[in-house]
């Protein structure tokens, strides 16, 4: 008779993030603000990062739990180091860093291949994530979690978004590389790739009836994502239940990549 599978005495609860110390970049509005509410409501302490301090303060005021407002630019190396140090100093450590700040300044069009636009998008979406991850890894203990906000457009591009798609595809490569490099330190690195969610960044798409119809038509569940559809993916990856998940892309797109 074969050995029965070993059953542990208890199971980690997927998505349990109470008491985690979490940095969220791009937290002044849109998906980052949404994540801040989700983690704070679940009992986490959240450090809010973006350039516009008044936006961060407005988000912080509405959170049910402890928060820090740290205004600055994720493309600056020193700023990322300062955020990691401030959180470690204030809360005695850092458990989760969500590299979510991202831009798509030109919604669609050939200007995505202008050198200046290309550099700007790469600088925020890709270099900003790299610098944040490096700063975070410097202060994290084993069990630390890095989570990047990618995009379905990193896997299936649409016309006119070359720089944005390349930056998001690059994040997947970065996450997989760092997952290897940081495995010995006990830090996991993963990507959440959202499909289409309402936010200031996505509003131009949503308000264009032709684009809106095309997006819904290419989504298996035939609708945009609702706010509550997204946050659980991040909370799962941040929780102890995801300790063996690293170098993965968790797509949350209602089946957009299937159609
Ligand atoms: N909405 C969607 O459907 C969707 C789908 C897939 C992926 N995404 C990704 O999700 C992330 C959030 O997007 P969103 O839709 O929430 O966009 P958003 O509403 O435009 O918010 C972007 C946030 O990033 C911050 N930010 C931008 N540049 C920054 C910089 N250099 N340094 C620090 N913070 C910076 C912005 O604040 P400041 O301007 O004040 O700095 C803002 O808080 C992005 O990475 C985006 O690519 C979104």
């Amino acid at each position: 008779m074969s050995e029965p599978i070993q059953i542990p005495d208890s199971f980690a609860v997927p998505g349990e993030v109470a008491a985690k110390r979490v940095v969220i970049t791009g937290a002044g509005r849109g998906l980052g603000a949404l994540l801040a509410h989700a983690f704070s409501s679940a009992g986490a302490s959240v450090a809010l990062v973006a350039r516009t301090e008044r936006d961060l303060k407005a988000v912080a005021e509405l959170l049910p739990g402890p928060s820090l407002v740290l205004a600055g630019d994720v493309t600056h190396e020193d700023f990322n180091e300062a955020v990691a140090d401030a959180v470690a100093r204030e809360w005695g450590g850092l458990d989760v860093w969500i590299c979510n700040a991202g831009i798509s300044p030109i919604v669609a069009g050939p200007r995505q291949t202008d050198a200046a636009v290309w550099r700007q998008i790469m600088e925020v979406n890709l270099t900003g994530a790299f610098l944040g991850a490096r700063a975070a890894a410097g202060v994290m203990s084993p069990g630390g979690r890095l989570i990047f906000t990618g995009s379905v457009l990193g896997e299936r591009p649409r016309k006119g978004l070359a720089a944005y798609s390349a930056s998001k595809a690059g994040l997947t490569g970065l996450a997989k590389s760092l997952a290897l490099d940081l495995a010995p330190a006990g830090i996991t690195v993963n990507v959440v790739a959202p499909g289409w969610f309402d936010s200031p960044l996505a509003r131009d798409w949503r308000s264009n009836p032709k684009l809106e119809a095309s997006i819904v038509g290419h989504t298996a569940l035939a609708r945009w994502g609702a706010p509550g559809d997204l946050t659980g993916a991040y909370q799962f990856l941040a929780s102890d239940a995801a300790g063996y998940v690293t170098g993965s892309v968790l797509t949350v797109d209602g089946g957009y990549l299937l159609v």
Side-chain angles (χ1 to χ4, degrees), residues 170-216:
L171 277 180
T172 300
L174 177 63
K176 288 176 187 283
S177 301
L178 292 181
L180 277 175
D181 292 347
L182 295 173
I187 297 170
T188 65
V189 192
N190 293 288
V191 177
V192 174
W196 299 92
F197 288 83
D198 198 17
S199 74
L201 181 140
R203 212 138 282 161
D204 286 349
W205 291 77
R206 202 150 197 195
S207 59
N208 178 327
K210 222 173 132 188
L211 281 175
E212 155 80 354
S214 146
I215 286 164
V216 172

Side-chain angles (χ1 to χ4, degrees), residues 24 27 40 52 115 131 164 167 173 177 196 232 243:
I24 303 172
S40 182
T52 312
L131 294 174
Y164 183 80
S167 73
S177 301
W196 299 92

